Amino acid sequence: MTNLTCSLLVLLSATAAMAAELQIPDTIVTRSDVLKATLKLDKPLTGQGTLALRWTDSYGRIVAEQTDMVQVDGDTVPLSLPLDRAIALQNFVEARLTVAGQTVRADKVAFIVTPESTAWDDYQIIMYYAYKPDQQAALRDVGITAGKLSSGGTQSPDGGKVWYRYDYRFYCDQIATAFYAAYHTPAYSPKNKMLKLAKAEYVKDRTSKKPLYREPCLSDQKALAEAVDRLRTAVKMQMRYRPFFYAHTDEGGVADLVTAWDFCFDPRTLSAMRKWLIDEYGSLTAINEEWGTNFADIKDVVPLTTDEMMARGGDNFSPWADHRFFMNKAFADTLLAGTKAVEQVDPHARAGLVGCQMPSAFGGYDYWLLSRVMTAIEPYNIGNNREIWRSFAPDKPAVTTAFGFGDMEVWRLWYQFLQGDLGIIIYDEKNRYLDADGKPTEMGAGIAPTYKELTGGLARQLANMERVNDPIA
C-alpha cells in the first residue's frame, strides 16, 4: 500500500468520523421569526468552539453568514438564524462546527420562509402549466409571477416544488374534482363521459328516474366528507407556501357544466329537498297549493322533470323550478362545507371555483348563493357573471383566463382589471411563451409589457379606491 493510499484512507476515515446533520423542525416560519434548528453529531464532542452558518436561497444568493462561539457538550448543538433578510420562499442553510481542532460539516438543508402577508393586494400573472425546469426561472422575463398546483400534487408537501424552488407562489386547483365535477372530469375521456352514459340510459326509458341520480349524490355525506378531507389535506400540505387560493375544482357543477339535465332524483336528495320545502312553505298543504298537486304525504312529494313539466303544460312551473333552485342550494352547501374546511386549517386562506360558467337554470351557478360560500373565483365571463360577482362580492378576489396576446386580448385584460380582477390564469398547454432556450417567443415578448404594467402596482391603487355607481336615471 502506498503512502498516498494510506493518507487518503486516513482522511476518509476522519471525515466519516466527523459527520453531522442539520435538523430543522417542520414548523412554519416567516421573516419575523428566528429559525431554530439542531446540529446533530454522529458522536459526542466536548469543548468550546465556533459554529459557522451559511444561508443561501433559490436565487443562488448568499443571504447571510454568521459565526458564533458555542460550548459543546454532547452530540447536539442548538442554533438560531434570524430570518428578517429572507426574500425567497426556498432557502438553504449549511453549518461548520469547529471544536478542539476538529471540524464537522453539515450539508445544506432546505427550509421554506412563508410570506408574512396574507393579503392578495396585487395583480398576479399565473401560468397554468409548468415549463421545463431549465425554463421555469425565465418565465419572469414575460411577467409570470405565479403558478398552478393541481390534483394529486396538492396532497403532497413537495407537490409545488416545480414552482416554489424558483420562488413562485401558486394556487391549488382540482382538489376534489371527483365530487364537485363528477360529470366534467379529466379522469375520463371525454370529460363528460358520465353524462353521456346517463343520457343513453334515459333515452332507453324516459320514464325512469335512475339516470337522473347524480353519482356521487350531493347529499351523499360519505362522498362529501372525502372531498372535504382532500381540501383539508391540501391546506395542511401547502399552507407554508401561502397559496393564493384553493379551488374545490375546475369547471364544476351539478352535472356537466350548465348542461340541461334534471339532476338529482336520488332518494337522499329528495329527502333533503322535502325538508327544505317544509321550511319554505310551512306545510304539505301549502306545497300542494303552490305546485298545483295533491300529494297525500310529504314522503310522496317528488318534483317534475323537464319532460314532465312540459307535458303538464300551463304556466305554473314551481314543481320544476323549486327543484332547480334546491339543486343550486345543494351545490352551494357542499361548496360551503369545503370552504369551511379550508378556513379551519388556515383562517387566512381563500377557497372557491375556477372555470365558472354562466348563470343558468341548470348547473348550480346561482351567483348570489356562490358569493356567500366562496372567497375567490375564476369566472369565464359568460352571461355577465364577472359583473355579477363584482356586484355581489366586490371584496373577494377574481381572476380571468388568458390564452395569448393581441389587441383584443390586451383590451380584455384591462377591461377585466377595471372590473376588479386581481390576476389571470394563462392556459398554455403547449408552452408557447418561451422557446427551447428559455427566450421569450413572439407571443411572450408581445404580451410581456402588458403583464408587467398590470403587475406594476396599479392593482394596489385600485384596491384602495371605492367604486361609485353612476345611475343613468
Side-chain angles (χ1 to χ4, degrees):
M1 185 179 292
T2 66
N3 290 336
L4 177 60
T5 303
C6 291
S7 299
L8 285 173
L9 288 174
V10 170
L11 178 61
L12 290 171
S13 298
T15 302
M18 294 185 287
E21 178 187 10
L22 273 170
Q23 298 177 341
I24 300 177
D26 187 26
T27 54
I28 291 177
V29 291
T30 70
R31 294 179 75 249
S32 297
D33 296 316
V34 174
L35 181 71
K36 301 289 187 180
T38 300
L39 181 64
K40 182 69 168 66
L41 310 176
D42 69 346
K43 67 176 185 177
L45 288 176
T46 302
Q48 189 176 54
T50 59
L51 177 63
L53 301 179
R54 180 184 174 94
W55 171 14
T56 56
D57 65 16
S58 59
Y59 292 99
R61 299 174 297 195
I62 299 174
V63 182
E65 292 182 322
Q66 70 177 47
T67 301
D68 299 305
M69 297 296 297
V70 293
Q71 183 66 41
V72 182
D73 186 12
D75 63 355
T76 59
V77 181
L79 60 92
S80 299
L81 183 66
L83 299 176
D84 55 318
R85 299 182 67 179
I87 295 176
L89 281 168
Q90 189 175 45
N91 298 265
F92 308 91
V93 62
E94 53 191 291
R96 185 183 72 253
L97 174 67
T98 302
V99 177
Q102 295 190 75
T103 298
V104 183
R105 299 178 185 275
D107 292 338
K108 65 180 180 181
V109 176
F111 65 96
I112 300 298
V113 179
T114 300
E116 283 189 291
S117 176
T118 60
W120 184 351
D121 60 356
D122 208 349
Y123 203 89
Q124 300 298 324
I125 309 295
I126 303 168
M127 183 59 75
Y128 191 86
Y129 289 106
Y131 277 49
K132 294 178 181 178
D134 58 352
Q135 295 176 308
Q136 283 287 86
L139 287 171
R140 280 192 178 80
D141 294 339
V142 295
I144 307 305
T145 62
K148 183 266 304 183
L149 178 59
S150 190
S151 191
T154 69
Q155 307 296 291
S156 166
D158 291 326
K161 192 172 183 178
V162 68
W163 295 111
Y164 71 69
R165 68 185 297 187
Y166 301 102
D167 202 34
Y168 296 104
R169 288 170 63 189
F170 48 83
Y171 82 97
C172 296
D173 200 350
Q174 297 178 326
I175 300 170
T177 297
F179 184 83
Y180 293 106
Y183 289 79
H184 190 87
T185 169
Y188 297 115
S189 182
K191 288 184 177 182
N192 63 347
K193 175 182 176 180
M194 291 284 286
L195 188 64
K196 285 180 174 289
L197 293 174
K199 285 184 174 182
E201 288 300 309
Y202 191 63
V203 168
K204 293 177 183 177
D205 181 5
R206 297 177 77 97
T207 66
S208 173
K209 295 292 196 300
K210 198 64 184 293
L212 303 179
Y213 287 20
R214 187 186 194 271
E215 299 177 11
C217 170
L218 293 177
S219 296
D220 183 339
Q221 295 307 305
K222 181 176 181 294
L224 176 58
E226 291 173 354
V228 165
D229 187 58
R230 284 186 61 84
L231 283 157
R232 192 178 291 113
T233 298
V235 184
K236 291 177 181 177
M237 295 296 104
Q238 310 306 329
M239 61 188 294
R240 70 175 64 246
Y241 308 105
R242 197 78 76 192
F244 289 100
F245 68 103
Y246 298 85
H248 300 64
T249 193
D250 181 12
E251 297 182 338
V254 175
D256 174 23
L257 307 177
V258 292
T259 298
W261 192 249
D262 287 314
F263 278 152
C264 172
F265 280 83
D266 185 295
R268 290 165 292 186
T269 292
L270 295 182
S271 177
M273 182 178 175
R274 291 171 189 132
K275 293 177 182 177
W276 172 75
L277 287 169
I278 289 296
D279 289 341
E280 289 294 306
Y281 289 101
S283 68
L284 176 61
T285 299
I287 296 170
N288 279 324
E289 288 178 357
E290 178 67 23
W291 282 21
T293 52
N294 55 0
F295 293 111
D297 191 291
I298 188 63
K299 294 180 181 179
D300 300 328
V301 174
V302 177
L304 298 185
T305 66
T306 302
D307 280 354
E308 291 167 343
M309 190 72 255
M310 298 299 289
R312 189 175 92 159
D315 57 4
N316 180 2
F317 298 102
S318 55
W320 172 86
D322 277 348
H323 188 213
R324 298 272 50 82
F325 177 80
F326 178 77
M327 292 311 301
N328 287 344
K329 179 181 180 301
F331 186 60
D333 287 346
T334 64
L335 290 171
L336 179 60
T339 299
K340 284 184 174 180
V342 168
E343 293 174 343
Q344 284 168 0
V345 180
D346 181 358
H348 303 294
R350 302 171 191 83
L353 292 173
V354 297
C356 291
Q357 306 295 304
M358 69 185 77
S360 173
F362 297 90
Y365 286 94
D366 180 321
Y367 277 89
W368 171 249
L369 294 178
L370 295 181
S371 72
R372 303 300 93 188
V373 301
M374 306 193 314
T375 50
I377 191 172
E378 183 217 25
Y380 278 161
N381 202 352
I382 314 170
N384 295 110
N385 58 358
R386 178 61 186 92
E387 290 81 358
I388 293 170
W389 182 264
R390 185 202 72 206
S391 298
F392 288 161
D395 298 324
K396 295 180 179 180
V399 296
T400 191
T401 312
F403 296 95
F405 85 107
D407 291 345
M408 187 64 188
E409 177 71 354
V410 171
W411 173 86
R412 187 178 68 87
L413 294 185
W414 282 108
Y415 173 82
Q416 299 263 145
F417 169 77
L418 293 173
Q419 296 294 326
D421 273 11
L422 279 175
I424 60 172
I425 299 175
I426 303 170
Y427 192 81
D428 175 33
E429 73 277 24
K430 295 183 180 180
N431 291 171
R432 299 170 298 165
Y433 284 67
L434 298 176
D435 63 21
D437 296 323
K439 302 296 183 182
T441 60
E442 181 182 357
M443 175 182 288
I447 196 66
T450 299
Y451 288 170
K452 292 178 180 180
E453 191 171 7
L454 286 166
T455 57
L458 291 175
R460 288 185 175 180
Q461 296 181 50
L462 189 64
N464 286 291
M465 300 178 187
E466 182 178 351
R467 179 180 290 274
V468 178
N469 290 323
D470 187 12
I472 296 174

